[in-house]
Amino acid sequence: MADSKVSPVPLLKEELDIVIPTIRNLDFLEMWRPFFQPYHLIIVQDGDPSKVINVPEGFDYELYNRNDINRILGPKASCISFKDSACRCFGYMVSKKKYIYTIDDDCFVAKDPSGKNINALEQHIKNLLTPATPHFFNTLYDPYREGADFVRGYPFSLREGVPTAVSHGLWLNIPDYDAPTQLVKPLERNTRYVDAVLTIPKSTLFPMCGMNLAFDRELIGPAMYFGLMGDGQPIGRYDDMWAGWCMKVICDHLGFGVKTGLPYIWHSKASNPFVNLKKEYKGIYWQEELIPFFQAVKLPAECTTVQECYIELSKQVKAKLGGIDEYFDKLADAMVTWIEAWDELNPSGSKAANQSA
Amino acid sequence: MADSKVSPVPLLKEELDIVIPTIRNLDFLEMWRPFFQPYHLIIVQDGDPSKVINVPEGFDYELYNRNDINRILGPKASCISFKDSACRCFGYMVSKKKYIYTIDDDCFVAKDPSGKNINALEQHIKNLLTPATPHFFNTLYDPYREGADFVRGYPFSLREGVPTAVSHGLWLNIPDYDAPTQLVKPLERNTRYVDAVLTIPKSTLFPMCGMNLAFDRELIGPAMYFGLMGDGQPIGRYDDMWAGWCMKVICDHLGFGVKTGLPYIWHSKASNPFVNLKKEYKGIYWQEELIPFFQAVKLPAECTTVQECYIELSKQVKAKLGGIDEYFDKLADAMVTWIEAWDELNPSGSKAANQSA
């Protein structure tokens, strides 16, 4: 069976880590074995640290539970969420690789329309290794893809593109809906395979889902903070959204690209919409003020590293969102703590970001 | 054979005209009969007006040649291009319908991946009759499509969308490449059927191709001027691009949406790349200044109709592009003439645009 074989790697093990937040045994990895086994896994165990998480044999991994996070970060561990998959961003911080792929443990290998298993990781890597085109929309989608190009009327000066910082993959089967939509459309399934990768244009925001996501850690890592969610916080399920909005305004400022579309994974089970509603309801309300805030954010030209941009953004969050709820004051402080912790664990991080800007 | 039957119409004949620019007998209509026969055709005959163009029996049409254009518009006919498919915009002006579909005479019915003939017109109408979402990107593409919705993190206040002004359809087989790309990749064919419709975000420009295009004439008609091209002009093959850039900045200003993606048509033959290069080369060069111009255009709040926006845009073209070449002076004047001619033929046109703004 082809699936039992391990696929040739499109990137070296030294170049990419796979980050998985979880509270359970990682049986889902069996299906991913041919694609993930060549890489190193960083497992961020959420919830009770005394629980033992089984990892199928043959995978190379390191596992961090809450005790590890507290030990490594000390008081700065306060910026890492607990009892929420937002904890995954700790994995981004401890990785030393150039690229990160993160996936949820309820995501399985999807099939393309021909019935072939999709190597999601390989497609993400393709997306990250080819440029992005945020300054002008190409109607045949990704111009760097085989069989495609820039169409008539696409300025030649823009065809070089810009470095791609983020590759946002999609999901077949259970769509990533909010609680109200889950409640209204409990049976809706995403069955449409859209064979496209596209760059999200500059100055356009989108809802970034953390389920199936890859990024260039050297280019944008410090902006990938998943915020304060879950235990002790007033909201959940906005971790990836928050990271996406922060990341996008920083990519726009620094001239990096963000892609969305392929690859698909198979999202197996919908989370409980009633539980989700409780986590989300403040976010649904606050979001109406967050989006205009992020649409209006201007970062000064002096901010030339991701860290500088992120600290500046934290100040604007405090100044302009603090009035919505004290939560945003706390979040702004946590954003600063996150950067301090990042720089502690990645002493050369600023340099890498500087080179690319 | 299913193809010989006439399809049920998604819009009444009173609501839509099909505009076809041509220099030859319209045999290509045979393949479109089931889809086009229920509608009225406006044929704009380019080139020698004494040539007789055959239209297959059973189609309801009116045909305008250059003599007709000169007779109807008098001195204002100078704004309508000759010996270039840009002449098609005369058809938009003489139509009295709410919607326009325009198609080139070398475009045939494409097949979807299941092998079924694609009713391009029906898909365009769906695109135009559902809202667009230019203010925030939905990662599952068109949220109004069956089986799709807005994803988690999409602000609820933006889910109503905005009126759709333009539906830009794509092409299988011969891609719409510029002459240099045609020369470099003579054998490239577009075989990828991307099953998506998406809104081009606000403030993002794109290369609008006139080959397979539908729009709401009441909302945006006066902005659909295809410029001065062909006979006596220094460029060709930038007619649809020009219209697309003007239209997009006006849609962004007035709050209308522009969609691209489905439906596909089958584009049968590549035009001659050497001839195209001659037509395009100045455009390829000028384009590098046009795009920054359109990216920076600001229309004043007082401009609340398409006509007002378009006249204002013509002034900015004259002021800011006139220095590139005297052609842009002439083009700016022609933009004004176009609006004068439009208003003469459509005395209530401004009113319609006002209602929607």
Side-chain angles (χ1 to χ4, degrees):
Chain A
M1 207 177 116
D3 281 5
S4 64
K5 283 195 284 184
V6 167
S7 303
V9 285
L11 269 189
L12 297 177
K13 189 171 178 173
E14 291 69 37
E15 298 173 295
L16 180 132
D17 277 335
I18 299 173
V19 172
I20 304 166
T22 193
I23 53 166
R24 61 188 146 214
N25 295 333
L26 292 178
D27 306 325
F28 90 114
L29 284 174
E30 279 304 344
M31 198 182 186
W32 288 105
R33 187 181 290 276
F35 308 131
F36 290 180
Q37 194 167 315
Y39 293 99
H40 181 70
L41 313 181
I42 297 179
I43 299 163
V44 184
Q45 177 178 348
D46 199 16
D48 180 6
S50 70
K51 191 179 164 184
V52 175
I53 301 272
N54 277 327
V55 181
E57 269 193 54
F59 285 96
D60 171 41
Y61 69 94
E62 56 197 302
L63 184 150
Y64 298 94
N65 64 28
R66 191 69 209 184
N67 295 336
D68 300 317
I69 296 172
N70 291 339
R71 178 177 44 78
I72 293 167
L73 294 185
K76 295 198 179 73
S78 62
C79 73
I80 304 297
S81 298
F82 187 48
K83 295 193 178 168
D84 191 286
S85 77
C87 67
R88 75 174 84 213
C89 65
F90 177 76
Y92 312 158
M93 191 182 259
V94 294
S95 168
K96 294 291 166 283
K97 309 288 174 66
K98 181 166 167 58
Y99 298 101
I100 296 284
Y101 175 50
T102 184
I103 183 170
D104 281 2
D105 63 8
D106 64 344
C107 293
F108 294 88
V109 177
K111 288 186 186 297
D112 71 17
S114 76
K116 198 174 154 230
N117 278 347
I118 298 166
N119 184 346
L121 189 48
E122 183 178 39
Q123 179 67 49
H124 276 299
I125 290 168
K126 276 186 194 167
N127 295 347
L128 289 170
L129 294 183
T130 51
T133 53
H135 297 107
F136 201 83
F137 187 87
N138 193 49
T139 52
L140 287 186
Y141 311 101
D142 182 0
Y144 306 106
R145 204 171 166 194
E146 206 183 331
D149 212 311
F150 293 96
V151 301
R152 180 171 58 91
Y154 202 104
F156 278 81
S157 63
L158 295 177
R159 295 188 185 197
E160 205 183 315
V162 305
T164 302
V166 173
S167 168
H168 177 258
L170 298 177
W171 348 275
L172 290 171
N173 196 34
I174 307 286
D176 187 30
Y177 287 163
D178 48 59
T181 308
Q182 280 185 299
L183 288 164
V184 170
K185 292 178 148 184
L187 300 179
E188 190 151 287
R189 297 293 176 266
N190 185 27
T191 58
R192 187 174 292 123
Y193 183 94
V194 175
D195 188 11
V197 177
L198 55 100
T199 297
I200 303 195
K202 190 178 177 194
S203 306
T204 298
L205 295 173
F206 77 110
M208 185 179 82
C209 170
M211 222 189 290
N212 170 28
L213 181 72
F215 59 92
D216 184 326
R217 193 178 159 278
E218 282 183 13
L219 275 190
I220 199 66
M224 282 299 204
Y225 176 44
F226 273 46
L228 294 175
M229 303 281 149
D231 199 49
Q233 309 299 342
I235 52 170
R237 283 171 60 84
Y238 272 88
D239 53 338
D240 41 7
M241 298 300 140
W242 181 261
W245 298 327
C246 293
M247 169 282 287
K248 187 60 166 59
V249 298
I250 292 173
C251 281
D252 286 347
H253 176 74
L254 294 176
F256 303 146
V258 176
K259 294 181 184 174
T260 185
L262 301 184
Y264 286 94
I265 51 79
W266 180 265
H267 186 207
S268 66
K269 64 171 206 303
S271 41
N272 184 316
F274 300 98
V275 173
N276 290 347
L277 190 60
K278 191 178 163 192
K279 293 177 179 172
E280 281 176 16
Y281 79 97
K282 287 191 175 174
I284 286 174
Y285 174 72
W286 289 341
Q287 175 176 275
E288 299 295 340
E289 299 191 53
L290 300 185
I291 296 309
F293 164 76
F294 281 105
Q295 285 174 333
V297 159
K298 292 269 173 292
L299 296 171
E302 305 86 78
C303 294
T304 58
T305 67
V306 178
Q307 278 91 333
E308 287 165 1
C309 291
Y310 204 75
I311 293 294
E312 169 62 26
L313 192 56
S314 76
K315 289 178 193 161
Q316 296 189 23
V317 166
K318 184 160 273 207
K320 296 189 181 156
L321 299 179
I324 299 177
D325 191 280
E326 60 181 13
Y327 168 72
F328 290 97
D329 256 335
K330 236 168 70 181
L331 180 55
D333 292 338
M335 291 167 74
V336 175
T337 306
W338 160 264
I339 293 295
E340 290 169 355
W342 182 284
D343 285 345
E344 245 177 63
L345 293 183
N346 298 276
S348 63
S350 313
K351 199 180 104 269
N354 239 337
Q355 282 175 341
S356 321
Chain B
M1 206 178 116
D3 281 5
S4 64
K5 282 196 285 182
V6 167
S7 301
V9 285
L11 269 188
L12 297 176
K13 188 170 179 173
E14 289 70 37
E15 298 173 295
L16 180 132
D17 277 336
I18 299 173
V19 172
I20 304 165
T22 195
I23 52 166
R24 59 188 147 215
N25 294 334
L26 292 178
D27 305 325
F28 91 114
L29 284 173
E30 279 304 345
M31 199 183 186
W32 288 104
R33 188 180 290 277
F35 306 131
F36 288 0
Q37 194 167 313
Y39 293 99
H40 180 71
L41 312 181
I42 297 179
I43 299 163
V44 184
Q45 177 178 348
D46 199 15
D48 180 4
S50 70
K51 189 178 165 185
V52 176
I53 301 273
N54 277 327
V55 182
E57 268 193 55
F59 285 94
D60 171 43
Y61 70 93
E62 57 196 302
L63 184 150
Y64 298 92
N65 64 28
R66 191 69 208 183
N67 295 336
D68 301 316
I69 296 173
N70 290 340
R71 177 177 45 78
I72 292 168
L73 294 185
K76 296 198 177 73
S78 62
C79 73
I80 303 297
S81 298
F82 187 49
K83 296 192 179 170
D84 191 285
S85 77
C87 67
R88 74 173 84 213
C89 65
F90 177 75
Y92 311 157
M93 192 182 257
V94 294
S95 167
K96 293 291 165 283
K97 309 287 173 68
K98 181 165 167 57
Y99 298 101
I100 295 285
Y101 176 50
T102 184
I103 182 169
D104 280 3
D105 63 8
D106 63 345
C107 293
F108 294 88
V109 177
K111 289 185 186 296
D112 71 17
S114 77
K116 198 176 153 228
N117 278 347
I118 297 167
N119 184 346
L121 189 48
E122 183 178 39
Q123 179 66 49
H124 276 298
I125 291 168
K126 276 186 193 168
N127 295 348
L128 289 170
L129 294 183
T130 51
T133 54
H135 297 107
F136 201 83
F137 188 87
N138 193 50
T139 52
L140 288 186
Y141 311 100
D142 181 0
Y144 305 106
R145 202 171 166 197
E146 206 182 331
D149 212 313
F150 293 96
V151 300
R152 180 171 58 92
Y154 202 105
F156 279 81
S157 63
L158 296 176
R159 295 188 185 197
E160 206 183 313
V162 305
T164 302
V166 173
S167 167
H168 177 259
L170 298 175
W171 349 274
L172 290 171
N173 195 38
I174 307 286
D176 186 31
Y177 287 163
D178 47 60
T181 309
Q182 280 185 300
L183 288 164
V184 171
K185 292 177 148 185
L187 300 180
E188 190 152 286
R189 297 293 178 265
N190 186 27
T191 59
R192 188 174 290 125
Y193 182 94
V194 175
D195 188 11
V197 177
L198 55 100
T199 297
I200 302 192
K202 190 179 177 191
S203 306
T204 299
L205 294 173
F206 76 111
M208 185 180 83
C209 169
M211 220 189 290
N212 171 29
L213 181 71
F215 59 92
D216 184 326
R217 192 178 160 279
E218 282 183 11
L219 276 189
I220 200 66
M224 283 298 205
Y225 175 46
F226 273 45
L228 293 175
M229 303 282 148
D231 198 49
Q233 308 300 341
I235 52 170
R237 282 171 60 84
Y238 272 88
D239 53 338
D240 40 7
M241 298 300 142
W242 182 260
W245 298 327
C246 293
M247 170 282 288
K248 186 59 167 58
V249 298
I250 293 173
C251 281
D252 285 347
H253 176 73
L254 294 177
F256 303 146
V258 176
K259 294 181 185 173
T260 186
L262 302 183
Y264 286 95
I265 52 79
W266 180 266
H267 186 207
S268 65
K269 63 172 205 304
S271 42
N272 184 317
F274 300 98
V275 174
N276 290 347
L277 190 60
K278 190 176 165 193
K279 292 177 180 174
E280 282 175 16
Y281 80 96
K282 288 193 174 173
I284 286 175
Y285 174 72
W286 290 341
Q287 176 175 273
E288 299 294 341
E289 299 193 54
L290 300 185
I291 297 307
F293 164 76
F294 280 107
Q295 284 174 334
V297 160
K298 292 272 173 290
L299 297 170
E302 304 85 79
C303 294
T304 58
T305 67
V306 177
Q307 277 91 335
E308 286 165 1
C309 292
Y310 204 76
I311 294 294
E312 169 63 26
L313 193 55
S314 76
K315 289 178 193 161
Q316 297 189 24
V317 166
K318 182 161 276 204
K320 297 189 180 155
L321 299 179
I324 299 178
D325 191 280
E326 60 182 12
Y327 168 72
F328 291 98
D329 256 335
K330 235 170 68 179
L331 179 55
D333 292 338
M335 291 168 75
V336 176
T337 305
W338 159 264
I339 293 294
E340 289 169 356
W342 182 283
D343 285 344
E344 245 177 63
L345 294 183
N346 298 276
S348 64
S350 314
K351 201 180 104 270
N354 240 336
Q355 282 174 341
S356 320

